[in-house]
Amino acid sequence: MIKTEMDTVATLCQLHTDLSGEDIQKIQEVVQNLQLIADLNQANVFIDCQTREKKHAIVVAEAAPSTAKSVYKNPVVGKFAYETFEPAVFYTFRTGKPLFLNHALSQEGKKVEQSVVPIAGIQNRVIGTLIMEKDISEKLKNQSKLKALTEANETLSELLLGMAENQPFIPEVIEESLFIIDKDLRIQYSNPAAMNLVLEMCSLEFERGKLFTAYFPNLAEICRLPDELVIQEVMIQNKVFQMKKIALVQHENNCGSFIIFRDLTELREKERELTVKTVAIREIHHRVKNNLQTVASLLRLQMRRGIPEESKVHFVESLNRILSIASVYEIILSNSQNQDDVEIVSLIEKIGNMLVFSEDHEGKTIMIDYSGPKLFIKSNLAVSVALVINELIQNCVKHAFAEMPEGQICVVIQEVSSAVRVLVRDNGIGYTPFAKPSLGLEIVKMMIEHDLSGHFAIEGTSEGTVATVEFPLIRGGLIE
Protein backbone atom coordinates (compact mmCIF):
# COMPACT_ATOMS: atom_id res chain seq x y z
CA MET A 1 0.00 0.00 0.00
CA ILE A 2 2.84 2.43 0.94
CA LYS A 3 4.71 1.58 -2.30
CA THR A 4 1.59 2.38 -4.34
CA GLU A 5 1.23 5.72 -2.55
CA MET A 6 4.89 6.54 -3.17
CA ASP A 7 4.52 5.72 -6.86
CA THR A 8 1.43 7.96 -7.05
CA VAL A 9 3.29 10.86 -5.40
CA ALA A 10 6.24 10.49 -7.78
CA THR A 11 3.98 10.25 -10.86
CA LEU A 12 1.86 13.30 -9.96
CA CYS A 13 4.90 15.41 -9.06
CA GLN A 14 6.71 14.50 -12.29
CA LEU A 15 3.64 15.23 -14.44
CA HIS A 16 2.49 18.50 -12.87
CA THR A 17 5.33 20.11 -10.87
CA ASP A 18 8.92 21.24 -11.37
CA LEU A 19 10.14 19.47 -8.22
CA SER A 20 13.52 17.73 -8.36
CA GLY A 21 14.12 14.11 -7.49
CA GLU A 22 15.39 15.13 -4.05
CA ASP A 23 12.25 17.25 -3.47
CA ILE A 24 9.99 14.36 -4.43
CA GLN A 25 11.92 12.05 -2.06
CA LYS A 26 11.35 14.60 0.75
CA ILE A 27 7.61 14.64 0.01
CA GLN A 28 7.59 10.82 0.07
CA GLU A 29 9.25 10.83 3.51
CA VAL A 30 6.38 12.95 4.86
CA VAL A 31 3.83 10.64 3.20
CA GLN A 32 5.17 7.70 5.23
CA ASN A 33 3.84 9.34 8.42
CA LEU A 34 0.65 10.76 6.93
CA GLN A 35 -1.72 8.11 8.35
CA LEU A 36 -0.18 8.41 11.81
CA ILE A 37 -0.68 12.20 11.71
CA ALA A 38 -4.32 11.76 10.63
CA ASP A 39 -5.07 9.26 13.41
CA LEU A 40 -3.31 11.30 16.09
CA ASN A 41 -5.19 14.50 15.22
CA GLN A 42 -8.48 12.81 14.26
CA ALA A 43 -8.43 14.83 11.06
CA ASN A 44 -8.00 14.46 7.30
CA VAL A 45 -4.48 15.38 6.16
CA PHE A 46 -3.22 16.18 2.66
CA ILE A 47 -0.04 17.19 0.84
CA ASP A 48 -0.41 19.79 -1.89
CA CYS A 49 2.35 20.74 -4.33
CA GLN A 50 2.31 23.74 -6.68
CA THR A 51 2.03 23.15 -10.42
CA ARG A 52 4.76 24.35 -12.81
CA GLU A 53 2.81 27.52 -13.61
CA LYS A 54 2.43 28.29 -9.87
CA LYS A 55 -1.22 29.18 -10.50
CA HIS A 56 -2.70 26.05 -8.96
CA ALA A 57 -1.74 23.23 -6.61
CA ILE A 58 -2.35 19.52 -6.87
CA VAL A 59 -3.14 17.04 -4.09
CA VAL A 60 -0.42 14.37 -4.24
CA ALA A 61 -1.26 12.42 -1.04
CA GLU A 62 -3.99 12.14 1.56
CA ALA A 63 -4.95 10.17 4.68
CA ALA A 64 -8.33 9.86 6.38
CA PRO A 65 -8.40 9.19 10.14
CA SER A 66 -9.30 5.73 11.42
CA THR A 67 -9.98 7.34 14.82
CA ALA A 68 -12.75 9.72 13.66
CA LYS A 69 -15.25 10.29 10.87
CA SER A 70 -13.68 11.46 7.61
CA VAL A 71 -14.50 14.93 6.31
CA TYR A 72 -14.47 13.64 2.72
CA LYS A 73 -16.64 11.00 1.11
CA ASN A 74 -14.47 10.63 -2.01
CA PRO A 75 -10.67 10.61 -2.51
CA VAL A 76 -9.10 13.89 -3.69
CA VAL A 77 -5.61 12.73 -4.70
CA GLY A 78 -4.89 14.03 -8.20
CA LYS A 79 -7.38 16.90 -7.94
CA PHE A 80 -6.36 20.53 -8.36
CA ALA A 81 -6.68 23.14 -5.60
CA TYR A 82 -7.34 26.77 -6.53
CA GLU A 83 -6.35 29.87 -4.59
CA THR A 84 -9.94 31.14 -4.58
CA PHE A 85 -10.95 28.15 -2.44
CA GLU A 86 -7.63 27.50 -0.64
CA PRO A 87 -6.18 30.96 0.26
CA ALA A 88 -4.37 29.63 3.33
CA VAL A 89 -2.51 27.02 1.26
CA PHE A 90 -1.26 29.58 -1.27
CA TYR A 91 -0.35 32.02 1.53
CA THR A 92 1.97 29.34 2.93
CA PHE A 93 3.43 28.63 -0.53
CA ARG A 94 4.25 32.35 -1.00
CA THR A 95 5.48 33.24 2.51
CA GLY A 96 6.69 29.95 3.94
CA LYS A 97 4.69 30.70 7.09
CA PRO A 98 2.20 28.32 8.73
CA LEU A 99 -1.47 29.14 9.35
CA PHE A 100 -3.45 27.48 12.13
CA LEU A 101 -7.17 26.98 12.81
CA ASN A 102 -8.28 28.87 9.73
CA HIS A 103 -11.97 28.47 8.78
CA ALA A 104 -12.37 27.21 5.21
CA LEU A 105 -14.60 25.20 2.86
CA SER A 106 -13.54 21.70 1.83
CA GLN A 107 -13.64 20.61 -1.81
CA GLU A 108 -16.97 18.94 -1.00
CA GLY A 109 -18.42 22.14 0.48
CA LYS A 110 -18.13 21.30 4.18
CA LYS A 111 -17.08 23.89 6.74
CA VAL A 112 -13.69 22.86 8.10
CA GLU A 113 -11.01 24.09 10.45
CA GLN A 114 -7.83 24.13 8.38
CA SER A 115 -4.20 24.25 9.49
CA VAL A 116 -1.36 24.52 6.94
CA VAL A 117 2.40 24.10 7.49
CA PRO A 118 5.12 24.30 4.82
CA ILE A 119 7.26 21.35 3.73
CA ALA A 120 10.76 22.66 3.11
CA GLY A 121 13.21 21.30 0.55
CA ILE A 122 16.76 22.34 -0.43
CA GLN A 123 17.73 25.81 0.89
CA ASN A 124 14.39 25.92 2.80
CA ARG A 125 12.43 26.38 -0.42
CA VAL A 126 8.72 25.51 0.06
CA ILE A 127 8.13 22.36 -2.01
CA GLY A 128 4.72 21.46 -0.60
CA THR A 129 2.21 22.07 2.13
CA LEU A 130 0.93 19.71 4.81
CA ILE A 131 -2.75 20.44 5.38
CA MET A 132 -4.95 19.24 8.22
CA GLU A 133 -8.77 19.64 8.08
CA LYS A 134 -11.42 18.97 10.73
CA ASP A 135 -15.18 19.14 10.21
CA ILE A 136 -16.55 22.01 12.32
CA SER A 137 -20.08 22.25 10.92
CA GLU A 138 -21.52 20.75 14.13
CA LYS A 139 -19.32 23.03 16.26
CA LEU A 140 -20.54 26.11 14.37
CA LYS A 141 -24.14 24.94 14.75
CA ASN A 142 -23.66 24.60 18.52
CA GLN A 143 -22.03 28.03 18.69
CA SER A 144 -25.04 29.48 16.87
CA LYS A 145 -27.39 27.79 19.34
CA LEU A 146 -25.31 29.06 22.27
CA LYS A 147 -25.43 32.59 20.90
CA ALA A 148 -29.22 32.38 20.50
CA LEU A 149 -29.50 30.96 24.03
CA THR A 150 -27.36 33.77 25.43
CA GLU A 151 -29.53 36.35 23.69
CA ALA A 152 -32.66 34.65 25.01
CA ASN A 153 -31.16 34.61 28.52
CA GLU A 154 -30.42 38.33 28.32
CA THR A 155 -33.97 39.02 27.15
CA LEU A 156 -35.37 36.87 29.97
CA SER A 157 -33.13 38.68 32.47
CA GLU A 158 -34.38 42.06 31.27
CA LEU A 159 -38.00 40.91 31.54
CA LEU A 160 -37.54 39.44 35.00
CA LEU A 161 -35.61 42.41 36.32
CA GLY A 162 -38.22 44.69 34.82
CA MET A 163 -40.88 42.57 36.48
CA ALA A 164 -39.21 43.12 39.83
CA GLU A 165 -39.33 46.84 39.34
CA ASN A 166 -42.68 47.22 37.61
CA GLN A 167 -45.78 45.09 37.00
CA PRO A 168 -45.11 41.34 37.02
CA PHE A 169 -46.03 39.40 33.92
CA ILE A 170 -45.92 35.96 35.58
CA PRO A 171 -49.40 34.90 36.77
CA GLU A 172 -49.85 35.49 40.45
CA VAL A 173 -51.76 32.20 40.80
CA ILE A 174 -48.80 30.01 39.83
CA GLU A 175 -48.24 27.19 42.37
CA GLU A 176 -44.44 27.36 42.45
CA SER A 177 -42.80 29.89 44.76
CA LEU A 178 -40.87 32.47 42.71
CA PHE A 179 -38.20 34.86 43.96
CA ILE A 180 -36.02 37.35 42.12
CA ILE A 181 -32.94 38.36 44.08
CA ASP A 182 -30.23 40.86 43.12
CA LYS A 183 -26.50 40.17 43.15
CA ASP A 184 -26.39 41.06 46.87
CA LEU A 185 -29.04 38.35 47.53
CA ARG A 186 -31.76 40.88 48.40
CA ILE A 187 -35.31 39.99 47.37
CA GLN A 188 -36.59 42.23 44.56
CA TYR A 189 -39.74 40.26 43.72
CA SER A 190 -41.79 37.36 45.08
CA ASN A 191 -45.15 35.96 44.02
CA PRO A 192 -47.93 35.17 46.57
CA ALA A 193 -46.84 31.51 46.77
CA ALA A 194 -43.34 32.66 47.75
CA MET A 195 -44.71 34.97 50.46
CA ASN A 196 -46.79 32.09 51.85
CA LEU A 197 -43.72 29.85 51.83
CA VAL A 198 -41.84 32.37 53.97
CA LEU A 199 -44.75 32.65 56.43
CA GLU A 200 -45.25 28.88 56.63
CA MET A 201 -41.64 27.70 56.72
CA CYS A 202 -39.88 30.57 58.46
CA SER A 203 -42.65 31.98 60.70
CA LEU A 204 -41.50 35.48 59.74
CA GLU A 205 -43.23 38.41 58.12
CA PHE A 206 -42.25 38.80 54.49
CA GLU A 207 -40.39 41.98 53.65
CA ARG A 208 -39.27 42.98 50.16
CA GLY A 209 -35.65 44.09 49.97
CA LYS A 210 -34.63 41.81 52.83
CA LEU A 211 -31.81 39.32 52.39
CA PHE A 212 -33.03 36.02 50.93
CA THR A 213 -30.65 34.19 53.25
CA ALA A 214 -32.32 35.79 56.28
CA TYR A 215 -35.31 33.54 55.55
CA PHE A 216 -33.36 30.57 54.19
CA PRO A 217 -29.87 30.60 55.77
CA ASN A 218 -29.16 26.98 54.77
CA LEU A 219 -29.43 27.97 51.08
CA ALA A 220 -26.71 30.65 51.16
CA GLU A 221 -24.09 28.39 49.55
CA ILE A 222 -26.40 27.50 46.63
CA CYS A 223 -27.29 31.15 46.07
CA ARG A 224 -23.64 32.07 45.71
CA LEU A 225 -22.83 29.38 43.15
CA PRO A 226 -21.66 31.02 39.89
CA ASP A 227 -23.36 28.46 37.61
CA GLU A 228 -25.96 29.73 35.16
CA LEU A 229 -28.39 26.99 36.18
CA VAL A 230 -28.48 25.09 39.47
CA ILE A 231 -31.10 22.43 40.28
CA GLN A 232 -31.02 20.81 43.71
CA GLU A 233 -33.36 19.19 46.20
CA VAL A 234 -33.34 21.00 49.54
CA MET A 235 -34.94 20.47 52.92
CA ILE A 236 -36.87 23.31 54.54
CA GLN A 237 -38.58 22.55 57.85
CA ASN A 238 -38.89 18.78 57.14
CA LYS A 239 -40.30 19.43 53.69
CA VAL A 240 -38.60 18.55 50.39
CA PHE A 241 -38.36 21.20 47.68
CA GLN A 242 -36.78 21.27 44.26
CA MET A 243 -34.85 24.52 44.02
CA LYS A 244 -33.91 25.99 40.64
CA LYS A 245 -31.56 28.96 40.52
CA ILE A 246 -31.23 30.70 37.15
CA ALA A 247 -28.53 33.35 36.82
CA LEU A 248 -29.76 36.69 35.42
CA VAL A 249 -27.21 38.28 33.10
CA GLN A 250 -27.21 41.68 31.43
CA HIS A 251 -24.33 42.75 29.18
CA GLU A 252 -22.31 39.79 30.47
CA ASN A 253 -22.66 40.98 34.07
CA ASN A 254 -24.39 38.99 36.82
CA CYS A 255 -27.45 40.95 37.93
CA GLY A 256 -28.94 38.42 40.34
CA SER A 257 -30.89 35.19 40.26
CA PHE A 258 -34.36 33.87 39.49
CA ILE A 259 -35.25 31.23 42.11
CA ILE A 260 -38.10 28.70 41.82
CA PHE A 261 -39.25 26.40 44.62
CA ARG A 262 -41.43 23.37 43.85
CA ASP A 263 -42.82 21.33 46.75
CA LEU A 264 -41.86 17.65 46.26
CA THR A 265 -42.84 16.47 49.74
CA GLU A 266 -45.96 14.59 48.66
CA LEU A 267 -44.20 13.04 45.67
CA ARG A 268 -41.26 11.82 47.79
CA GLU A 269 -43.68 10.44 50.39
CA LYS A 270 -45.52 8.46 47.72
CA GLU A 271 -42.19 7.16 46.42
CA ARG A 272 -41.28 6.06 49.93
CA GLU A 273 -44.66 4.32 50.34
CA LEU A 274 -44.17 2.61 46.98
CA THR A 275 -40.73 1.39 48.06
CA VAL A 276 -42.21 0.01 51.28
CA LYS A 277 -44.98 -1.73 49.32
CA THR A 278 -42.45 -3.17 46.88
CA VAL A 279 -40.42 -4.61 49.75
CA ALA A 280 -43.62 -6.01 51.30
CA ILE A 281 -44.71 -7.61 48.00
CA ARG A 282 -41.26 -9.14 47.57
CA GLU A 283 -41.47 -10.55 51.08
CA ILE A 284 -44.91 -12.02 50.31
CA HIS A 285 -43.56 -13.66 47.14
CA HIS A 286 -40.64 -15.04 49.12
CA ARG A 287 -42.96 -16.53 51.75
CA VAL A 288 -45.29 -18.03 49.14
CA LYS A 289 -42.32 -19.66 47.42
CA ASN A 290 -41.03 -21.01 50.75
CA ASN A 291 -44.47 -22.32 51.71
CA LEU A 292 -44.86 -24.10 48.36
CA GLN A 293 -41.42 -25.66 48.74
CA THR A 294 -42.35 -26.74 52.28
CA VAL A 295 -45.49 -28.47 50.94
CA ALA A 296 -43.36 -30.10 48.22
CA SER A 297 -40.90 -31.30 50.88
CA LEU A 298 -43.75 -32.81 52.91
CA LEU A 299 -45.00 -34.69 49.83
CA ARG A 300 -41.48 -36.02 49.13
CA LEU A 301 -41.15 -37.08 52.77
CA GLN A 302 -44.46 -38.92 52.58
CA MET A 303 -43.38 -40.65 49.36
CA ARG A 304 -40.11 -41.77 50.98
CA ARG A 305 -41.98 -43.10 54.02
CA GLY A 306 -43.99 -45.30 51.69
CA ILE A 307 -47.26 -44.97 49.78
CA PRO A 308 -49.31 -47.47 47.77
CA GLU A 309 -47.84 -47.96 44.29
CA GLU A 310 -51.09 -46.93 42.62
CA SER A 311 -50.98 -43.60 44.51
CA LYS A 312 -47.39 -42.74 43.61
CA VAL A 313 -48.25 -41.29 40.20
CA HIS A 314 -50.79 -38.94 41.78
CA PHE A 315 -48.26 -37.77 44.37
CA VAL A 316 -45.68 -37.07 41.62
CA GLU A 317 -48.22 -35.12 39.56
CA SER A 318 -49.25 -33.04 42.55
CA LEU A 319 -45.63 -32.42 43.46
CA ASN A 320 -44.83 -31.19 39.93
CA ARG A 321 -47.82 -28.83 39.97
CA ILE A 322 -46.70 -27.31 43.25
CA LEU A 323 -43.11 -26.92 42.01
CA SER A 324 -44.37 -25.32 38.77
CA ILE A 325 -46.19 -22.64 40.77
CA ALA A 326 -43.09 -22.19 42.96
CA SER A 327 -41.08 -21.57 39.75
CA VAL A 328 -43.16 -18.47 39.09
CA TYR A 329 -42.13 -16.95 42.41
CA GLU A 330 -38.48 -17.95 41.99
CA ILE A 331 -38.35 -16.01 38.69
CA ILE A 332 -40.14 -13.02 40.26
CA LEU A 333 -37.60 -12.92 43.09
CA SER A 334 -34.69 -13.14 40.62
CA ASN A 335 -36.05 -10.16 38.67
CA SER A 336 -34.63 -7.06 40.38
CA GLN A 337 -36.22 -4.55 37.95
CA ASN A 338 -39.90 -5.47 38.12
CA GLN A 339 -41.32 -7.34 41.07
CA ASP A 340 -44.47 -8.54 39.29
CA ASP A 341 -43.37 -9.59 35.80
CA VAL A 342 -42.38 -13.10 34.72
CA GLU A 343 -40.53 -13.84 31.48
CA ILE A 344 -42.35 -16.66 29.68
CA VAL A 345 -39.44 -18.52 28.04
CA SER A 346 -37.48 -18.58 31.32
CA LEU A 347 -40.55 -19.89 33.17
CA ILE A 348 -41.26 -22.63 30.62
CA GLU A 349 -37.60 -23.63 30.51
CA LYS A 350 -37.45 -23.95 34.30
CA ILE A 351 -40.57 -26.15 34.40
CA GLY A 352 -39.54 -28.25 31.38
CA ASN A 353 -36.05 -28.95 32.71
CA MET A 354 -37.53 -29.96 36.08
CA LEU A 355 -39.89 -32.48 34.45
CA VAL A 356 -37.48 -33.90 31.88
CA PHE A 357 -34.09 -33.96 33.60
CA SER A 358 -34.85 -34.45 37.29
CA GLU A 359 -36.27 -37.98 37.02
CA ASP A 360 -35.42 -41.32 35.42
CA HIS A 361 -38.00 -42.12 32.73
CA GLU A 362 -37.73 -45.91 32.81
CA GLY A 363 -34.45 -45.85 30.93
CA LYS A 364 -35.68 -43.54 28.14
CA THR A 365 -33.59 -40.61 26.91
CA ILE A 366 -35.81 -37.55 26.57
CA MET A 367 -34.54 -34.19 25.33
CA ILE A 368 -36.33 -30.81 25.32
CA ASP A 369 -35.59 -27.46 23.71
CA TYR A 370 -37.20 -24.02 23.75
CA SER A 371 -37.45 -21.02 21.44
CA GLY A 372 -39.29 -17.72 21.31
CA PRO A 373 -39.08 -13.95 21.86
CA LYS A 374 -38.64 -12.29 25.24
CA LEU A 375 -42.15 -11.60 26.57
CA PHE A 376 -43.33 -10.82 30.09
CA ILE A 377 -46.57 -11.72 31.85
CA LYS A 378 -48.00 -10.60 35.18
CA SER A 379 -47.44 -13.01 38.06
CA ASN A 380 -51.12 -13.85 38.64
CA LEU A 381 -51.46 -15.08 35.06
CA ALA A 382 -48.01 -16.67 35.10
CA VAL A 383 -49.29 -19.17 37.67
CA SER A 384 -51.96 -20.31 35.19
CA VAL A 385 -49.43 -20.51 32.37
CA ALA A 386 -47.05 -22.49 34.61
CA LEU A 387 -49.75 -25.07 35.43
CA VAL A 388 -50.76 -25.38 31.77
CA ILE A 389 -47.17 -25.93 30.58
CA ASN A 390 -46.53 -28.36 33.43
CA GLU A 391 -49.48 -30.52 32.37
CA LEU A 392 -48.60 -30.46 28.65
CA ILE A 393 -44.93 -31.35 29.11
CA GLN A 394 -45.77 -33.93 31.77
CA ASN A 395 -48.30 -35.44 29.34
CA CYS A 396 -45.52 -35.80 26.73
CA VAL A 397 -43.15 -37.39 29.24
CA LYS A 398 -45.76 -39.89 30.45
CA HIS A 399 -47.53 -40.92 27.24
CA ALA A 400 -45.71 -39.82 24.08
CA PHE A 401 -42.74 -42.20 24.10
CA ALA A 402 -44.25 -45.55 25.14
CA GLU A 403 -41.99 -48.39 23.96
CA MET A 404 -39.54 -45.84 22.46
CA PRO A 405 -35.89 -45.63 23.62
CA GLU A 406 -35.70 -41.84 23.17
CA GLY A 407 -37.84 -38.82 22.43
CA GLN A 408 -37.71 -35.11 21.66
CA ILE A 409 -39.98 -32.33 22.98
CA CYS A 410 -39.99 -28.84 21.45
CA VAL A 411 -41.64 -25.83 23.08
CA VAL A 412 -42.12 -22.82 20.77
CA ILE A 413 -43.40 -19.42 21.98
CA GLN A 414 -44.77 -17.11 19.29
CA GLU A 415 -46.20 -13.61 19.32
CA VAL A 416 -49.07 -13.61 16.83
CA SER A 417 -50.87 -10.31 16.24
CA SER A 418 -52.27 -9.43 19.68
CA ALA A 419 -51.87 -12.89 21.19
CA VAL A 420 -49.29 -15.32 22.55
CA ARG A 421 -49.17 -18.81 21.10
CA VAL A 422 -47.32 -21.70 22.78
CA LEU A 423 -46.74 -24.93 20.83
CA VAL A 424 -45.68 -28.09 22.64
CA ARG A 425 -44.54 -30.71 20.09
CA ASP A 426 -43.23 -34.23 20.54
CA ASN A 427 -42.06 -36.91 18.10
CA GLY A 428 -43.82 -39.70 19.96
CA ILE A 429 -46.52 -42.22 19.07
CA GLY A 430 -49.19 -39.59 18.41
CA TYR A 431 -52.27 -38.43 20.27
CA THR A 432 -55.29 -40.68 20.70
CA PRO A 433 -58.28 -39.00 22.42
CA PHE A 434 -59.77 -40.88 25.36
CA ALA A 435 -63.47 -41.25 26.02
CA LYS A 436 -62.93 -39.35 29.27
CA PRO A 437 -60.28 -36.58 29.26
CA SER A 438 -57.48 -36.92 31.82
CA LEU A 439 -57.32 -34.64 34.87
CA GLY A 440 -54.26 -32.93 33.37
CA LEU A 441 -56.04 -31.94 30.16
CA GLU A 442 -59.09 -30.81 32.14
CA ILE A 443 -56.81 -28.52 34.18
CA VAL A 444 -55.29 -27.17 30.95
CA LYS A 445 -58.71 -26.50 29.39
CA MET A 446 -60.06 -24.82 32.52
CA MET A 447 -57.00 -22.60 33.06
CA ILE A 448 -56.86 -21.46 29.44
CA GLU A 449 -60.55 -20.71 29.06
CA HIS A 450 -61.25 -19.17 32.47
CA ASP A 451 -57.97 -17.61 33.60
CA LEU A 452 -56.33 -16.69 30.30
CA SER A 453 -59.43 -16.17 28.08
CA GLY A 454 -57.70 -18.20 25.39
CA HIS A 455 -58.23 -21.50 23.60
CA PHE A 456 -56.53 -24.89 23.50
CA ALA A 457 -56.15 -27.60 20.87
CA ILE A 458 -54.32 -30.92 20.74
CA GLU A 459 -53.94 -33.20 17.74
CA GLY A 460 -51.87 -36.09 16.46
CA THR A 461 -49.67 -35.69 13.40
CA SER A 462 -47.55 -38.00 11.27
CA GLU A 463 -44.56 -36.96 13.41
CA GLY A 464 -46.15 -37.11 16.87
CA THR A 465 -48.42 -34.71 18.80
CA VAL A 466 -48.87 -30.94 18.81
CA ALA A 467 -50.62 -29.08 21.65
CA THR A 468 -51.45 -25.42 20.94
CA VAL A 469 -52.22 -22.80 23.59
CA GLU A 470 -53.20 -19.28 22.58
CA PHE A 471 -54.28 -16.37 24.75
CA PRO A 472 -54.55 -12.59 24.23
CA LEU A 473 -51.77 -10.15 25.04
CA ILE A 474 -54.03 -7.44 26.48
CA ARG A 475 -55.71 -9.64 29.06
CA GLY A 476 -52.39 -11.20 29.89
CA GLY A 477 -50.85 -7.79 30.58
CA LEU A 478 -47.85 -8.65 28.46
CA ILE A 479 -45.18 -6.17 27.63
CA GLU A 480 -42.27 -6.40 25.24
Side-chain angles (χ1 to χ4, degrees):
M1 185 68 180
I2 292 292
K3 185 178 184 303
T4 305
E5 289 177 354
M6 297 303 176
D7 292 343
T8 301
V9 170
T11 301
L12 289 172
C13 288
Q14 290 164 2
L15 281 174
H16 300 284
T17 75
D18 57 3
L19 297 178
S20 65
E22 287 183 62
D23 291 335
I24 294 173
Q25 188 175 354
K26 177 69 175 178
I27 297 290
Q28 288 175 327
E29 288 175 5
V30 178
V31 171
Q32 290 180 344
N33 297 309
L34 213 58
Q35 187 62 54
L36 192 62
I37 296 169
D39 290 341
L40 180 63
N41 292 281
Q42 296 184 313
N44 288 71
V45 291
F46 311 90
I47 295 177
D48 284 10
C49 295
Q50 275 190 302
T51 58
R52 289 188 181 89
E53 300 80 12
K54 309 300 180 189
K55 292 181 180 180
H56 314 305
I58 186 167
V59 182
V60 298
E62 67 176 339
S66 60
T67 53
K69 187 178 179 181
S70 174
V71 175
Y72 288 79
K73 292 181 180 178
N74 302 308
V76 295
V77 169
K79 291 190 176 182
F80 290 100
Y82 302 96
E83 185 169 0
T84 305
F85 303 107
E86 303 277 3
V89 174
F90 284 84
Y91 171 83
T92 299
F93 273 126
R94 282 195 297 269
T95 65
K97 295 178 181 180
L99 271 179
F100 297 101
L101 306 179
N102 179 58
H103 285 194
L105 279 176
S106 73
Q107 292 198 16
E108 294 180 356
K110 283 186 179 178
K111 294 178 180 178
V112 295
E113 194 173 68
Q114 187 184 67
S115 296
V116 185
V117 294
I119 301 173
I122 300 171
Q123 295 179 344
N124 286 327
R125 185 171 68 93
V126 178
I127 61 173
T129 54
L130 179 63
I131 305 158
M132 182 176 71
E133 292 182 353
K134 286 186 177 182
D135 185 359
I136 59 167
S137 52
E138 193 65 31
K139 179 181 176 182
L140 292 175
K141 190 187 297 182
N142 290 336
Q143 286 176 349
S144 177
K145 287 181 180 177
L146 183 61
K147 182 181 178 183
L149 186 61
T150 303
E151 291 174 355
N153 188 26
E154 290 234 2
T155 303
L156 177 63
S157 299
E158 289 175 7
L159 287 170
L160 291 173
L161 291 168
M163 179 186 76
E165 297 170 1
N166 305 304
Q167 184 66 25
F169 74 93
I170 296 178
E172 296 289 294
V173 294
I174 196 168
E175 292 183 2
E176 284 81 3
S177 302
L178 311 179
F179 294 91
I180 295 177
I181 61 175
D182 62 21
K183 61 182 180 180
D184 298 320
L185 307 187
R186 295 191 178 277
I187 299 171
Q188 301 301 313
Y189 169 78
S190 59
N191 69 341
M195 296 178 191
N196 291 335
L197 178 68
V198 169
L199 291 171
E200 182 184 353
M201 296 290 104
C202 309
S203 303
L204 296 171
E205 288 291 330
F206 177 78
E207 184 180 339
R208 182 174 171 175
K210 196 169 182 178
L211 281 172
F212 178 80
T213 50
Y215 298 117
F216 307 106
N218 59 319
L219 305 181
E221 186 178 344
I222 299 175
C223 291
R224 292 190 175 91
L225 289 174
D227 309 59
E228 290 187 0
L229 176 64
V230 178
I231 302 176
Q232 287 191 21
E233 283 193 15
V234 297
M235 291 289 296
I236 303 175
Q237 294 292 340
N238 297 322
K239 280 196 169 187
V240 184
F241 291 87
Q242 182 191 66
M243 177 183 174
K244 293 182 183 178
K245 185 185 80 73
I246 305 168
L248 300 178
V249 179
Q250 279 188 317
H251 310 297
E252 299 185 0
N253 294 319
N254 183 12
C255 300
S257 301
F258 182 39
I259 296 175
I260 307 170
F261 285 108
R262 184 183 174 198
D263 192 346
L264 299 180
T265 308
E266 187 176 349
L267 177 63
R268 293 293 174 259
E269 182 61 28
K270 286 180 179 178
E271 288 177 351
R272 189 191 67 79
E273 290 175 1
L274 184 61
T275 301
V276 172
K277 286 180 181 177
T278 300
V279 172
I281 290 170
R282 188 173 182 83
E283 179 61 23
I284 290 169
H285 286 155
H286 191 74
R287 291 187 183 186
V288 170
K289 185 202 77 164
N290 287 348
N291 289 340
L292 288 168
Q293 289 179 338
T294 300
V295 173
S297 298
L298 291 173
L299 284 174
R300 289 195 190 98
L301 180 62
Q302 183 64 58
M303 290 167 68
R304 284 196 294 270
R305 292 288 296 270
I307 55 173
E309 191 62 33
E310 62 272 15
S311 301
K312 184 177 179 181
V313 65
H314 302 299
F315 269 78
V316 171
E317 288 176 355
S318 298
L319 179 62
N320 288 335
R321 286 166 189 149
I322 291 167
L323 292 176
S324 295
I325 298 172
S327 298
V328 174
Y329 294 95
E330 285 181 23
I331 292 176
I332 290 172
L333 291 169
S334 66
N335 183 2
S336 60
Q337 293 183 343
N338 195 314
Q339 300 297 321
D340 199 35
D341 285 345
V342 179
E343 204 273 300
I344 294 179
V345 175
S346 299
L347 175 64
I348 291 174
E349 188 172 347
K350 193 172 187 66
I351 294 169
N353 290 347
M354 175 188 72
L355 295 172
V356 172
F357 301 125
S358 63
E359 296 181 20
D360 177 38
H361 306 293
E362 300 176 354
K364 296 183 180 67
T365 301
I366 300 176
M367 301 302 295
I368 185 168
D369 59 53
Y370 318 87
S371 64
K374 194 169 186 177
L375 295 171
F376 292 85
I377 187 170
K378 296 302 176 185
S379 60
N380 60 324
L381 298 174
V383 170
S384 300
V385 172
L387 286 170
V388 166
I389 296 302
N390 172 77
E391 298 301 331
L392 293 178
I393 296 176
Q394 193 164 248
N395 194 57
C396 294
V397 171
K398 284 175 60 179
H399 304 297
F401 310 113
E403 300 179 4
M404 292 176 63
E406 60 183 31
Q408 177 74 39
I409 302 170
C410 298
V411 184
V412 181
I413 298 94
Q414 300 172 341
E415 184 179 355
V416 184
S417 185
S418 59
V420 172
R421 182 183 296 158
V422 182
L423 305 174
V424 180
R425 296 194 185 102
D426 66 63
N427 63 347
I429 59 175
Y431 172 68
T432 303
F434 295 98
K436 184 180 180 181
S438 66
L439 174 61
L441 291 182
E442 284 186 350
I443 290 173
V444 169
K445 195 170 186 303
M446 180 186 70
M447 290 288 181
I448 292 171
E449 290 180 356
H450 294 284
D451 291 0
L452 300 174
S453 295
H455 58 83
F456 166 68
I458 183 169
E459 59 181 350
T461 69
S462 58
E463 298 176 350
T465 303
V466 178
T468 305
V469 175
E470 191 169 315
F471 54 93
L473 284 165
I474 297 174
R475 184 178 176 83
L478 285 162
I479 57 172
E480 294 186 9

